[in-house]
Amino acid sequence: LGLSLGAACGPPCAGLPTLRLDPKVSRSVLPLSAVFIGMVTSNNLCLKHVGVAFYNVGRSLTTVFNVLLSYLLLKQTTSLYALLACGVIIGGFWLGVDQEGAEGTLSWTGIFFGILASLCVSLNAIYTKKVLPVVDGSIWRLTFYNNINACVLFFPLMVLLGEFHTLYHFDKLGNPSFWGMMTLGGVFGFAIGYVTGLQIKFTSPLTHNVSGTAKACAQTVLAVIYFEETKSFLWWTSNLMVLGGSFAYTWVKGLEMRKVQEDPNVKSSERNETGV
């Protein structure tokens, strides 16, 4: 909202739309916002119970949920090669869980929230693509409405789960360094939300998952280095299976999408389904 107020001042804010709250648009964005708070909550709860290095494996089933949701929501079947790639991902997930258990750091609570986060990430990408026309394709407007809705939806959850009592007794509310880190996290969160929406707008949920896989690879390596952890060969194998399976799925789907686009005899509905 602050950036939009500077739109009249020219560059670099000239491209920002004037923002006003339209209840009708807010209601249309509400399904995305519900998935969004599920994604934020489950991601944080997953990180609370598992290490950053294992986080990639813990919530690696996003691609698998993409296949399931495509079938359940769109009645779209998946090719054998794509299913085999999903099998590799699931195998890597189970191997990672086994290795975390062998190291004595496995948290089934973290695994549960990791699976839930995978589902929400998949739904978030699909609903972002679906809701964009409601805001005339503007990522700024979508970010604005999504965050307004999320603030409203989080409030009753905080009341029901007793979070206000926790905040009241929190000893760092007056700590400048705490608020500095929270502000920095907020800036990164805002940037991630904007860039994610922009990527999905100009490409597809599938392409977004490609960059997400590459990000997860870098995140895993950096986490192991930063926390000076030593991981077994099988632990690294589980990560490579997840990453390799994700890239293989993307490659297969990319070939299928290209074939559909190049074939003039394919129906338009089939083109759209493959794109999703």
Side-chain angles (χ1 to χ4, degrees):
L1 184 60
L3 289 171
S4 71
L5 293 176
C9 301
C13 300
L16 295 174
T18 302
L19 299 176
R20 63 180 182 84
L21 189 61
D22 185 341
K24 184 178 179 180
V25 175
S26 183
R27 285 194 300 270
S28 299
V29 179
L30 197 58
L32 171 64
S33 303
V35 171
F36 175 74
I37 65 169
M39 181 180 70
V40 171
T41 304
S42 53
N43 269 328
N44 286 341
L45 288 173
C46 178
L47 273 173
K48 178 181 178 180
H49 294 283
V50 304
V52 178
F54 182 68
Y55 176 70
N56 168 42
V57 175
R59 52 176 297 276
S60 61
L61 300 180
T62 300
T63 302
V64 178
F65 279 118
N66 277 348
V67 172
L68 290 175
L69 291 172
S70 294
Y71 179 74
L72 294 175
L73 300 179
L74 304 173
K75 303 303 179 184
Q76 176 188 350
T77 57
T78 304
S79 67
L80 176 61
Y81 290 116
L83 289 176
L84 288 175
C86 288
V88 173
I89 296 171
I90 295 173
F93 172 79
W94 280 114
L95 180 59
V97 170
D98 177 72
Q99 289 304 297
E100 282 292 303
E103 293 183 3
T105 55
L106 178 65
S107 168
W108 285 107
T109 304
I111 295 298
F112 169 77
F113 284 116
I115 294 173
L116 184 61
S118 298
L119 173 61
C120 290
V121 168
S122 179
L123 284 171
N124 183 72
I126 292 172
Y127 274 105
T128 297
K129 195 75 171 182
K130 185 177 181 180
V131 170
L132 269 170
V134 177
V135 291
D136 301 322
S138 171
I139 298 299
W140 287 113
R141 292 186 68 202
L142 183 62
T143 303
F144 172 70
Y145 280 104
N146 194 28
N147 279 276
I148 291 293
N149 286 346
C151 288
V152 175
L153 291 172
F154 264 125
F155 189 84
L157 288 176
M158 292 178 69
V159 173
L160 289 172
L161 299 175
E163 291 296 327
F164 285 107
H165 180 267
T166 303
L167 281 174
Y168 181 77
H169 294 283
F170 188 54
D171 60 354
K172 291 185 173 61
L173 284 180
N175 189 329
S177 62
F178 167 76
W179 284 108
M181 292 300 293
M182 288 295 290
T183 302
L184 183 63
V187 170
F188 280 126
F190 179 82
I192 289 170
Y194 176 72
V195 172
T196 295
L198 202 63
Q199 183 183 45
I200 294 171
K201 173 185 176 180
F202 287 109
T203 57
S204 68
L206 177 62
T207 304
H208 171 61
N209 290 335
V210 179
S211 64
T213 302
K215 180 268 299 178
C217 179
Q219 177 178 286
T220 300
V221 174
L222 287 173
V224 171
I225 295 172
Y226 182 82
F227 293 107
E228 299 179 348
E229 298 176 345
T230 302
K231 298 296 184 180
S232 66
F233 173 77
L234 287 178
W235 189 93
W236 283 109
T237 301
S238 72
N239 276 267
L240 289 175
M241 287 177 67
V242 167
L243 294 170
S246 299
F247 277 120
Y249 174 84
T250 303
W251 181 66
V252 170
K253 294 298 288 185
L255 290 177
E256 292 175 359
M257 290 169 66
R258 190 179 307 163
K259 183 178 179 180
V260 169
Q261 291 169 355
E262 291 176 352
D263 189 348
N265 297 320
V266 176
K267 296 178 182 179
S268 60
S269 61
E270 292 178 351
R271 292 174 184 268
N272 292 334
E273 286 182 358
T274 309
V276 173

